[in-house]
Amino acid sequence: MAAPDFPQRILFVGNSYFYYNNSLHNHLRGFVEATPKHKSHPLAYKSATIGGSSLDHHPIEWLTAPGQIGVKEPFEWVVLAGNSADALKDATRQKFSETVRQHHKVIQSRGGKTALYMTHAYVAPHKQASPENMAKIVDMFNAVGREVGAKVIPVGLAFEMSYKRRPDLRLHDEYDGSHPSLAGTYLAAAVVYATLYEATPVGSAYNYNGKLPAEVCQYLQQVAWDVVSAQR
């Protein structure tokens, strides 16, 4: 089934990277509802998260069954995220890829499309921070995305681009170097919006109720669009 021009039912399946900062799916809703032509569309976004989890911890058949988690019609997109360290070891890379294959078959059987949420890399003070990590993450997500025909949401690449342009703007939690800051979640949501809705977030009035300065929002919107456009 071809993905609709305007997806209304999206399920996010992942871990704490999704639920930090009032949850990624709520920020995606903010972008969509700030777009005048989309205001009248009813949205059914759900987020199934387990802190510190791997993708195989999630019961995808149960989650995607119509009506099971409060959405009567099938999800049009299911966004899958693995553990943030999956790409760093051969065994976890293989497990992630195997699980994506299995989950993708279930999602397809429900009439939906699969999207893979490319995680960002660790930064200091995280003990596993390394300049080599991003290349491993990109390789893992792109490889399995090509194999199953899933859309890759390049959040990790957007973080990388932003740090190159503005290293002063912190996108990670300062205490662990892993979880996203509010600006990081905002950037991730802009990338998800640009990828799944195939529309630019540049110019959006969404600013999380004024919690982020307009200049920062405009900058992050542009980064998101530049990265997504480059992947086409």
Side-chain angles (χ1 to χ4, degrees), residues 83-104:
N83 185 276
S84 57
D86 277 348
L88 307 186
K89 294 181 179 180
D90 289 342
T92 49
R93 287 171 68 99
Q94 182 176 347
K95 184 65 175 178
F96 174 77
S97 298
E98 291 173 353
T99 305
V100 168
R101 294 184 200 107
Q102 295 165 3
H103 284 12
H104 177 65

Side-chain angles (χ1 to χ4, degrees), residues 18 23 45 51 54-55 60-61 64 80 86 112-113 124-125 128 133 159 162-163 166 168 173-174 192 204-206 216:
F18 281 174
S23 194
Y45 296 162
S54 298
L55 187 57
I60 199 69
E61 291 199 23
T64 57
L80 304 177
D86 277 348
K113 292 282 187 178
Q128 289 182 277
N133 287 352
F159 272 58
S162 181
Y163 276 129
R166 283 188 56 172
D168 62 302
D173 182 287
E174 63 181 310
V192 174
S204 174
Y206 177 63
V216 171

Side-chain angles (χ1 to χ4, degrees), residues 59-173:
I60 199 69
E61 291 199 23
W62 186 85
L63 290 170
T64 57
Q68 193 67 60
I69 57 174
V71 179
K72 293 181 179 180
E73 296 180 78
F75 288 103
E76 294 155 303
W77 283 102
V78 180
V79 181
L80 304 177
N83 185 276
S84 57
D86 277 348
L88 307 186
K89 294 181 179 180
D90 289 342
T92 49
R93 287 171 68 99
Q94 182 176 347
K95 184 65 175 178
F96 174 77
S97 298
E98 291 173 353
T99 305
V100 168
R101 294 184 200 107
Q102 295 165 3
H103 284 12
H104 177 65
K105 289 180 181 178
V106 175
I107 294 164
Q108 276 193 316
S109 73
R110 310 284 194 204
K113 292 282 187 178
T114 304
L116 305 179
Y117 182 93
M118 180 192 289
T119 51
H120 53 264
Y122 302 131
V123 299
H126 197 281
K127 62 182 180 180
Q128 289 182 277
S130 168
E132 300 175 355
N133 287 352
M134 196 63 235
K136 296 177 180 178
I137 293 170
V138 172
D139 179 69
M140 182 182 78
F141 278 91
N142 285 344
V144 69
R146 285 192 301 268
E147 180 184 344
V148 303
K151 187 180 286 289
V152 176
I153 303 173
V155 173
L157 289 175
F159 272 58
E160 183 180 53
M161 178 180 285
S162 181
Y163 276 129
K164 287 178 179 178
R165 292 180 177 180
R166 283 188 56 172
D168 62 302
L169 181 58
R170 193 168 187 94
L171 304 175
H172 289 73
D173 182 287

Side-chain angles (χ1 to χ4, degrees), residues 179-224:
H179 292 94
S181 66
L182 177 57
T185 295
Y186 184 95
L187 175 58
V191 175
V192 174
Y193 174 78
T195 303
L196 297 189
Y197 288 89
E198 299 184 351
T200 180
V202 177
S204 174
Y206 177 63
N207 61 9
Y208 191 41
N209 298 316
K211 298 295 184 182
L212 287 170
E215 176 271 330
V216 171
C217 292
Q218 293 163 8
Y219 164 74
L220 294 173
Q221 291 167 11
Q222 190 64 59
V223 170

